[in-house]
Amino acid sequence: MINKTNFNIKEVTGCLGGECYLVVSGNKTVLCDTGFSFAAPQAASNIAEATGGAGPDYIALTHAHYDHAGGAAYLKSVFGNAAVIANSLSADIFARPGALRVMRELNASAVEEAPCRDPDASRGHGDMLDRFKADILVPGPEDYTVAPDLVAIAAPGHTRDTTSYYFEDLGLLFATETTGVVACGAVVPTFITSYAQSLDAASRMEEIAAPSILSPHYGLLSGDDALLFPARAREACEVFADFVLSRHQSGMTYDEIVRAIHTAYYDALLLPTGKQPLAAFITNAKAVIPRLIAELE
Ligand SMILES: [Zn+2]
């Protein structure tokens, strides 16, 4: 039995761009993503305040990107009783020194751009990336119950390890960047590794028909906004694929297509939110173009 009023969502973000949310219900408190490592100390104090010092029961991670999972190890060090839930592929990424180096580089440029610049961040404050450890591993592509009434649902497409979470008792889906982010009233596609899988994830969302969706970097969607979201997400992905493919077929270079995406998506929709660091946007745009073209041609 789903009781829509039976939960609260509290935003506990440490720094704009590394959004993280507490889902508080009668039987458990779940932190959904953790934000940047450099903002983890601030997120920790927000979480302590929101939970009366108790902290969350679980820390659920959608994927091993620096702005989503960067703060996990720091927050675990503060809230030792919280069980960290991650896809096994996410845990593999944290074990790779090269991946940690990229996270640190992106962190450093996010600190430069961040509206909340933390003077300690450049000295590695909050950076416990080396100590990442998951307590509960989501093993594979099948749905996996990670806690009572909490099911992990693989949603690869943004990255290979991307995982969403469905709170069965609450009718709440914690969605991922595989199905895009909401910004300026639009859905901005943010798939990187697979267009086809992003469409699959939108279809899966449609089947679930969650009455409430916790949308990455945005917050709660409910009512029609939640029910219409999967169709809007699919359409946004299709429009983006056409955008890239038509420019490629008209002879534009990858760099020219990156600039076109920068104008149409970053400047028009993401920049006004102040949430996505430009360096990460460009990195993702450069990665998605050749993959998308290869997938469609
Ligand atoms: Zn990401």
PDB file of all heavy atoms in Angstrom, residues 63 65 67-68 158-159 177 192 284, ligand 1:
ATOM      1  N   HIS A  63      25.809   6.459  -9.120  1.00  0.00           N
ATOM      2  CA  HIS A  63      26.943   6.122  -9.984  1.00  0.00           C
ATOM      3  C   HIS A  63      28.201   6.796  -9.465  1.00  0.00           C
ATOM      4  O   HIS A  63      28.125   7.736  -8.679  1.00  0.00           O
ATOM      5  CB  HIS A  63      26.684   6.514 -11.445  1.00  0.00           C
ATOM      6  CG  HIS A  63      26.500   7.988 -11.684  1.00  0.00           C
ATOM      7  ND1 HIS A  63      25.463   8.714 -11.164  1.00  0.00           N
ATOM      8  CD2 HIS A  63      27.228   8.877 -12.403  1.00  0.00           C
ATOM      9  CE1 HIS A  63      25.550   9.977 -11.550  1.00  0.00           C
ATOM     10  NE2 HIS A  63      26.618  10.104 -12.298  1.00  0.00           N
ATOM     11  N   HIS A  65      30.311   9.028 -10.223  1.00  0.00           N
ATOM     12  CA  HIS A  65      30.807  10.326 -10.687  1.00  0.00           C
ATOM     13  C   HIS A  65      31.073  11.221  -9.477  1.00  0.00           C
ATOM     14  O   HIS A  65      30.423  11.100  -8.445  1.00  0.00           O
ATOM     15  CB  HIS A  65      29.796  10.995 -11.642  1.00  0.00           C
ATOM     16  CG  HIS A  65      30.019  10.620 -13.080  1.00  0.00           C
ATOM     17  ND1 HIS A  65      29.132  10.947 -14.080  1.00  0.00           N
ATOM     18  CD2 HIS A  65      31.036   9.954 -13.677  1.00  0.00           C
ATOM     19  CE1 HIS A  65      29.590  10.492 -15.245  1.00  0.00           C
ATOM     20  NE2 HIS A  65      30.737   9.880 -15.025  1.00  0.00           N
ATOM     21  N   ASP A  67      30.466  14.184  -8.610  1.00  0.00           N
ATOM     22  CA  ASP A  67      29.451  15.067  -8.029  1.00  0.00           C
ATOM     23  C   ASP A  67      28.306  14.281  -7.385  1.00  0.00           C
ATOM     24  O   ASP A  67      27.401  14.872  -6.794  1.00  0.00           O
ATOM     25  CB  ASP A  67      28.906  16.037  -9.084  1.00  0.00           C
ATOM     26  CG  ASP A  67      28.355  15.335 -10.321  1.00  0.00           C
ATOM     27  OD1 ASP A  67      28.819  14.227 -10.639  1.00  0.00           O
ATOM     28  OD2 ASP A  67      27.454  15.897 -10.976  1.00  0.00           O
ATOM     29  N   HIS A  68      28.332  12.951  -7.501  1.00  0.00           N
ATOM     30  CA  HIS A  68      27.278  12.111  -6.905  1.00  0.00           C
ATOM     31  C   HIS A  68      27.802  11.246  -5.769  1.00  0.00           C
ATOM     32  O   HIS A  68      27.144  11.102  -4.746  1.00  0.00           O
ATOM     33  CB  HIS A  68      26.632  11.222  -7.986  1.00  0.00           C
ATOM     34  CG  HIS A  68      25.803  12.010  -8.941  1.00  0.00           C
ATOM     35  ND1 HIS A  68      24.441  12.074  -8.869  1.00  0.00           N
ATOM     36  CD2 HIS A  68      26.168  12.826  -9.966  1.00  0.00           C
ATOM     37  CE1 HIS A  68      23.980  12.890  -9.813  1.00  0.00           C
ATOM     38  NE2 HIS A  68      25.017  13.347 -10.490  1.00  0.00           N
ATOM     39  N   HIS A 158      23.763   6.552 -18.697  1.00  0.00           N
ATOM     40  CA  HIS A 158      24.584   7.729 -18.343  1.00  0.00           C
ATOM     41  C   HIS A 158      26.014   7.227 -18.196  1.00  0.00           C
ATOM     42  O   HIS A 158      26.935   7.734 -18.833  1.00  0.00           O
ATOM     43  CB  HIS A 158      24.060   8.359 -17.058  1.00  0.00           C
ATOM     44  CG  HIS A 158      24.906   9.485 -16.539  1.00  0.00           C
ATOM     45  ND1 HIS A 158      25.126  10.634 -17.252  1.00  0.00           N
ATOM     46  CD2 HIS A 158      25.616   9.620 -15.379  1.00  0.00           C
ATOM     47  CE1 HIS A 158      25.932  11.435 -16.549  1.00  0.00           C
ATOM     48  NE2 HIS A 158      26.244  10.837 -15.424  1.00  0.00           N
ATOM     49  N   THR A 159      26.159   6.219 -17.324  1.00  0.00           N
ATOM     50  CA  THR A 159      27.413   5.475 -17.215  1.00  0.00           C
ATOM     51  C   THR A 159      27.014   4.003 -17.151  1.00  0.00           C
ATOM     52  O   THR A 159      25.838   3.688 -17.034  1.00  0.00           O
ATOM     53  CB  THR A 159      28.158   5.844 -15.909  1.00  0.00           C
ATOM     54  OG1 THR A 159      27.276   5.591 -14.809  1.00  0.00           O
ATOM     55  CG2 THR A 159      28.599   7.297 -15.907  1.00  0.00           C
ATOM     56  N   GLU A 177      20.666  10.125 -14.007  1.00  0.00           N
ATOM     57  CA  GLU A 177      20.987  10.953 -15.166  1.00  0.00           C
ATOM     58  C   GLU A 177      20.870  10.179 -16.484  1.00  0.00           C
ATOM     59  O   GLU A 177      20.962  10.773 -17.548  1.00  0.00           O
ATOM     60  CB  GLU A 177      22.385  11.551 -14.997  1.00  0.00           C
ATOM     61  CG  GLU A 177      22.372  12.616 -13.922  1.00  0.00           C
ATOM     62  CD  GLU A 177      23.736  13.126 -13.531  1.00  0.00           C
ATOM     63  OE1 GLU A 177      24.672  12.316 -13.425  1.00  0.00           O
ATOM     64  OE2 GLU A 177      23.858  14.337 -13.320  1.00  0.00           O
ATOM     65  N   ILE A 192      25.391   9.186 -21.585  1.00  0.00           N
ATOM     66  CA  ILE A 192      26.745   9.263 -22.159  1.00  0.00           C
ATOM     67  C   ILE A 192      27.090   7.933 -22.843  1.00  0.00           C
ATOM     68  O   ILE A 192      27.464   7.917 -24.003  1.00  0.00           O
ATOM     69  CB  ILE A 192      27.819   9.561 -21.077  1.00  0.00           C
ATOM     70  CG1 ILE A 192      27.499  10.865 -20.337  1.00  0.00           C
ATOM     71  CG2 ILE A 192      29.206   9.682 -21.734  1.00  0.00           C
ATOM     72  CD1 ILE A 192      28.388  11.096 -19.113  1.00  0.00           C
ATOM     73  N   ASN A 284      31.601  15.388 -20.763  1.00  0.00           N
ATOM     74  CA  ASN A 284      30.512  14.475 -21.111  1.00  0.00           C
ATOM     75  C   ASN A 284      30.087  14.650 -22.569  1.00  0.00           C
ATOM     76  O   ASN A 284      29.820  13.667 -23.270  1.00  0.00           O
ATOM     77  CB  ASN A 284      29.310  14.695 -20.184  1.00  0.00           C
ATOM     78  CG  ASN A 284      29.603  14.298 -18.746  1.00  0.00           C
ATOM     79  OD1 ASN A 284      30.629  13.690 -18.460  1.00  0.00           O
ATOM     80  ND2 ASN A 284      28.709  14.646 -17.845  1.00  0.00           N
TER      81      ASN A 284
HETATM   82 ZN    ZN B   1      27.032  11.654 -13.678  1.00  0.00          ZN
END
